[in-house]
Amino acid sequence: GAGVSQSPSNKVTEKGKDVELRCDPISGHTALYWYRQSLGQGLEFLIYFQGNSAPDKSGLPSDRFSAERTGGSVSTLTIQRTQQEDSAVYLCASSFGTDHGYTFGSGTRLTVV
Amino acid sequence: QKEVEQDPGPLSVPEGAIVSLNCTYSNSAFQYFMWYRQYSRKGPELLMYTYSSGNKEDGRFTAQVDKSSKYISLFIRDSQPSDSATYLCAMSTQAGTALIFGKGTTLSVSS
């Protein structure tokens, strides 16, 4: 596609439920990033995939968070046993190689009630 | 102290004004500096990218990096209502690594 596609655009879930957020990067982009944006907190790095290398998971806030990237393309971010503090906009970005020209998707707005 | 500090504003200016947005940082190893613009309910979009110190100009936008002071700036000349958005600075130590973002400055340009 022309841009980074994220789905769903909005998700409301009950506390304790698991959620899956999907990111479809730009075709040919080898790097994929997940960030979280909370009100007043800026963008917080979560995880980074680069080609076939092991992902950099150093930003994941707890073991309830995990992500995978299948076939070097689509990525899924999974949050287990959601908590209210997980409410945020989850942004995905992709880039070609080590290019700093990230292209962001529009994000998934997650609300945990 | 956070690695990247950015005044959240809001900053309100009249159309045509020159706008100055700034970030300070603490990690002297940062080499790559970026400015992103984010409209409401959209993802950030890259505006300017600078490696190491110096100035870079693109149309109405000028980015400056002063590594000795650990200070970066974005200047917007002849500001337009369409420039109303949140501006985020970002930086990293190496190419191809995760960016560290400031919290963003909200700018409003009135016509």
Side-chain angles (χ1 to χ4, degrees), chain A:
Chain A
V4 177
S5 178
Q6 291 189 246
S7 61
S9 54
N10 285 283
K11 176 72 176 179
V12 179
T13 190
E14 291 180 353
K15 178 181 172 182
K17 301 278 190 185
D18 297 352
V19 294
E20 287 189 350
L21 312 180
R22 176 187 167 105
C23 174
D24 201 340
I26 291 173
S27 178
H29 277 190
T30 55
L32 187 148
Y33 304 80
W34 283 99
Y35 284 81
R36 177 169 70 176
Q37 188 172 32
S38 305
L39 194 63
Q41 293 301 314
L43 271 78
E44 175 190 6
F45 166 70
L46 297 176
I47 188 169
Y48 160 47
F49 297 89
Q50 175 63 274
N52 295 321
S53 302
D56 176 358
K57 303 179 182 180
S58 60
L60 294 179
S62 77
D63 60 8
R64 296 186 296 104
F65 288 72
S66 63
E68 63 177 18
R69 188 178 184 192
T70 54
S73 181
V74 172
S75 178
T76 302
L77 177 69
T78 301
I79 309 173
Q80 296 178 310
R81 304 181 302 282
T82 51
Q83 304 295 312
Q84 287 187 327
E85 61 263 28
D86 299 334
S87 296
V89 176
Y90 289 81
L91 289 159
C92 174
S94 70
S95 68
F96 182 72
T98 57
D99 186 358
H100 271 88
Y102 289 16
T103 300
F104 279 90
S106 291
T108 293
R109 185 173 298 272
L110 175 66
T111 304
V112 181
V113 298

Side-chain angles (χ1 to χ4, degrees), chain A residues 100, chain B residues 3-4 25-34 48-54 64-67 70 72 90-100:
Chain A
H100 271 88
Chain B
E3 278 197 288
V4 179
Y25 61 94
S26 57
N27 187 349
S28 58
F30 284 139
Q31 299 187 79
Y32 300 89
F33 304 92
M34 278 133 280
M48 302 286 284
Y49 167 47
T50 309
Y51 171 69
S52 195
S53 284
Q64 288 185 351
V65 175
D66 182 349
K67 291 189 72 180
K70 298 192 184 70
I72 70 171
M91 47 199 80
S92 72
T93 57
Q94 300 175 35
T97 60
L99 294 174
I100 307 300

